[in-house]
Amino acid sequence: MVKQKHLLKLSDLSPEEIFEILDLADKLKYEQKHGIPHPLLAGRTLGMIFQKSSTRTRVSFETGMYQLGGQALFLSSRDLQIGRGEPVQDTARVLSRYLDGIMIRTFEQAEVEALAMHGSIPVINGLTDFCHPCQVLADLMTIREYKKDLAGKKLCFIGDGNNMANSLIVGGLKTGMKVSVATPKEYAPDPAVLAFARNCAGFSWVQDPLEAASGADAVYTDVWASMGQESEQQERAKVFAGYQVNRAVMAAANPGALVLHCLPAHRGEEITAETFEAHAEEIFDEAENRLHAQKAVMALLMKQP
């Protein structure tokens, strides 16, 4: 059983807890596809705090709560006093009196941790600048669907050492995958994540995308400039020009390798239109799996005691 009260980052979870989430996600996906209701959170309410906008996060969490029999409330920073300077600890204590769970998509990891520390209900990290655990649970679910197993498979990430890279490294290594990451030296993953990874077998961080992609079973990329980095777009385009997932990169990977992208994708930048469209089915299966993976997280954290 998942022993954690929150989902703040994947490093908090044991491998067994990650696989429990993935197994339940598979079950809920099967039931949803076959019209089998699963009102596991009937009468429960999730508050969704958005300080960063989103397509997939909002729609998947809101739909997921509906399918689980509960309801979700969309709360932008304009709707909350937290956006006007109320201390996060006060917001956490107030919302704990009204809600059964909180999902927050924001900038600072410390804000998510503070909500969990001061509140008394489950907190789910919908994304921070440090990590994106819900996305990576969906990614692992997708790789397992296509490749039948995770153990021993090689996951390659090419691009910026951002929140996606941080979470893919932790999630991949904790589930028995080999993980290779290619980034420019000055855009490395978080030092704490690298320290964790270097104690694990099967990890490599290099600057050469072709070296990272060699023998990969899944190749992953993300935009070069994330939300809040728009002013760096032109500079980043120069730095990352050689970090594109394209025909040459896929030729270095294993035959039948997946291409994954957390979306939105900038065709012609981090991935060519040709490669994206050749792998569109798995990319949009991955996007769909956000719904199922997050339903599993919510069901495990927010169910009645």
Side-chain angles (χ1 to χ4, degrees):
M1 290 291 293
V2 169
K3 296 179 180 178
Q4 299 294 325
K5 183 178 178 181
H6 311 284
L7 176 59
L8 307 180
K9 52 189 182 296
L10 289 181
S11 57
D12 294 335
L13 300 180
S14 68
E16 294 76 18
E17 288 171 326
I18 293 174
F19 281 114
E20 183 180 2
I21 293 169
L22 297 181
D23 290 345
L24 180 55
D26 288 342
K27 178 177 182 289
L28 295 175
K29 182 174 183 176
Y30 175 87
E31 291 177 351
Q32 193 254 331
K33 296 293 186 183
H34 290 82
I36 302 170
H38 37 246
L40 303 176
L41 297 180
R44 313 288 272 178
T45 303
L46 175 75
M48 305 185 304
I49 301 174
F50 283 90
Q51 296 184 337
K52 282 189 175 186
S53 60
S54 169
T55 298
R56 280 150 292 277
T57 300
R58 178 177 179 180
V59 176
S60 56
F61 269 105
E62 196 160 329
T63 301
M65 274 301 289
Y66 173 78
Q67 292 179 358
L68 291 168
Q71 65 173 336
L73 301 176
F74 173 78
L75 305 169
S76 75
S77 56
R78 295 185 302 274
D79 300 317
L80 298 172
Q81 293 299 332
I82 195 173
R84 301 181 182 90
E86 180 174 59
V88 66
Q89 59 264 36
D90 292 355
T91 297
R93 287 183 286 193
V94 168
L95 293 182
S96 294
R97 305 294 181 103
Y98 303 147
L99 303 170
D100 301 294
I102 297 171
M103 187 285 299
I104 180 169
R105 181 178 169 94
T106 189
F107 294 89
E108 296 292 332
Q109 180 71 18
E111 187 168 10
V112 178
E113 305 274 349
L115 270 178
M117 178 183 300
H118 296 286
S120 57
I121 56 176
V123 173
I124 298 169
N125 181 349
L127 174 141
T128 64
D129 290 344
F130 173 67
C131 65
H132 199 350
C134 290
Q135 177 66 56
V136 171
L137 290 169
D139 300 335
L140 296 172
M141 180 182 179
T142 307
I143 296 169
R144 195 166 71 160
E145 284 180 342
Y146 277 84
K147 299 299 181 181
K148 309 305 179 189
D149 195 8
L150 296 176
K153 300 295 190 297
K154 182 177 178 181
L155 171 62
C156 164
F157 178 85
I158 295 172
D160 183 17
N162 59 12
N163 50 7
M164 282 309 314
N166 292 337
S167 291
L168 285 165
I169 290 167
V170 175
L173 293 173
K174 277 183 172 278
T175 55
M177 300 188 77
K178 294 179 282 187
V179 179
S180 61
V181 175
T183 77
K185 189 174 182 179
E186 61 270 33
Y187 291 89
D190 188 90
V193 172
L194 289 177
F196 162 80
R198 285 174 176 139
N199 290 322
C200 302
F203 174 73
S204 64
W205 170 49
V206 297
Q207 281 74 62
D208 182 359
L210 294 180
E211 180 182 351
S214 177
D217 298 292
V219 177
Y220 204 115
T221 190
D222 188 13
V223 295
W224 292 337
S226 298
M227 194 177 300
Q229 299 171 336
E230 290 82 3
S231 64
E232 304 173 27
Q233 177 69 44
Q234 291 186 343
E235 177 62 27
R236 283 172 171 265
K238 296 175 185 176
V239 173
F240 288 99
Y243 289 82
Q244 182 185 74
V245 174
N246 51 31
R247 188 181 299 181
V249 166
M250 296 313 297
N254 280 341
L258 304 177
V259 171
L260 299 175
H261 195 303
C262 55
L263 300 177
H266 294 172
R267 294 165 177 79
E269 294 183 11
E270 75 275 3
I271 188 168
T272 62
E274 174 194 39
T275 301
F276 185 96
E277 293 303 330
H279 295 271
E281 183 174 0
E282 59 237 37
I283 290 171
F284 289 101
D285 281 344
E286 171 194 13
E288 178 190 334
N289 283 340
R290 286 286 301 277
L291 170 66
H292 309 299
Q294 289 163 188
K295 283 167 66 177
V297 170
M298 290 187 291
L300 289 167
L301 293 182
M302 294 173 60
K303 63 188 177 182
Q304 295 283 0

